[in-house]
């Protein structure tokens, strides 16, 4: 079955990045992700200075680093040369999302690199580490589609795999290798992920939504565009993640 057929039948699908893009694209993405994950700005947050309450941990996302939407929560200006934006706006992913949304042109609401830190097994799960459905979907499928690209092997419980309930009695654990893709409709199933207890997890997420079913005002754009990025991507029909500035 195709990725879209698997998504419609079960709410998720597996693939590899090289199934869709040349190896050179994977080399660029992986080099960028690996360099960022090993950087001082990420690693200095790997060991929190002390225990936080569950509310503080959820607000500050102390269990993870984000490349674009960083620790200071300030807006990030997307750059025209960001290879992850290029992949997110590529016809390959846009066409796949459009097919999944039954022909409705999708919008890219968000993308970023995430690095999940190793945490004690006794640490409380907060935020997206807990079971949830993405609220924008309002319990329906075909409204949102997330694509995860893994830069670390997620091959054991402690590596932060995404888990989902396919039915009340059937739970799936999504093991993915480095370079593996996971396509998932996060409005269809209860899910959680990123609780790393043995080794960290690094991934890229692209988040598409169906504008005919999810009102724009439910998805607040998170970032601005640099001048060059605005010139190249500002009028892209699939781009919802940038505020429109005069």
């Amino acid at each position: 079955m195709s990725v879209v057929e698997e998504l419609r039948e079960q709410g998720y699908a597996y693939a590899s990045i090289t199934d869709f893009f040349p190896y050179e694209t994977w080399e660029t993405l992986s080099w960028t992700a690996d360099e960022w994950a090993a950087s001082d700005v990420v690693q200095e947050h790997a060991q929190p200075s002390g225990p936080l309450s569950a509310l503080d941990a959820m607000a500050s996302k102390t269990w993870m680093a984000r490349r674009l939407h960083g620790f200071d929560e300030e807006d990030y200006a997307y750059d025209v040369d960001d290879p992850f934006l290029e992949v997110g706006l590529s016809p390959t992913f846009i066409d796949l999302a459009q097919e999944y949304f039954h022909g409705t042109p999708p919008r890219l609401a968000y993308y970023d690199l995430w690095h999940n830190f190793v945490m004690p097994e006794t640490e409380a799960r907060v935020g997206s580490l807990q079971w949830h459905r993405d609220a924008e979907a309002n319990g329906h499928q075909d409204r949102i589609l997330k694509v995860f690209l893994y830069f670390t092997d997620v091959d054991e419980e402690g590596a932060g795999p995404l888990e989902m309930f396919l039915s009340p009695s059937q739970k799936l654990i999504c093991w993915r290798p480095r370079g593996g893709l996971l396509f998932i409709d996060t409005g269809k199933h209860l899910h959680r992920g990123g609780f790393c207890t043995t080794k960290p997890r690094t991934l890229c997420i692209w988040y598409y939504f169906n504008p005919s079913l999810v009102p724009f005002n439910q998805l607040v754009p998170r970032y601005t565009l640099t001048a060059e990025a605005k010139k190249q991507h500002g009028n892209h029909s699939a781009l919802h993640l940038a505020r429109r500035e005069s």
Side-chain angles (χ1 to χ4, degrees), residues 86-134:
E86 292 180 6
V87 167
L89 292 177
S90 68
T92 300
F93 277 178
I94 295 297
D95 290 351
L96 189 150
Q98 181 166 333
E99 183 181 354
Y100 181 61
F101 294 150
H102 302 282
T104 300
R107 299 292 187 271
L108 177 63
Y110 172 80
Y111 84 96
D112 209 344
L113 275 177
W114 291 355
H115 181 80
N116 296 90
F117 302 122
V118 173
M119 302 170 61
E121 291 187 19
T122 55
E123 192 79 14
R125 288 179 178 260
V126 295
S128 58
L129 303 180
Q130 299 178 315
W131 292 110
H132 66 284
R133 288 187 182 92
D134 287 359

Side-chain angles (χ1 to χ4, degrees), residues 10-12 131 162-167 170-174 182-185 189-192:
Q10 58 195 19
Y12 72 96
W131 292 110
L162 189 142
E163 306 169 79
M164 73 177 83
F165 274 102
L166 302 178
S167 69
Q170 183 183 11
K171 186 174 81 170
L172 174 72
I173 300 178
C174 299
L182 170 64
F183 299 84
I184 178 172
D185 184 333
H189 298 300
L190 279 172
H191 63 282
R192 66 182 184 180

Side-chain angles (χ1 to χ4, degrees), residues 36 64-66 110 112-116 201-203 205:
W36 169 76
M64 68 182 293
R66 291 170 291 179
Y110 172 80
D112 209 344
L113 275 177
W114 291 355
H115 181 80
N116 296 90
R201 183 188 74 166
T202 305
L203 59 80
I205 174 175

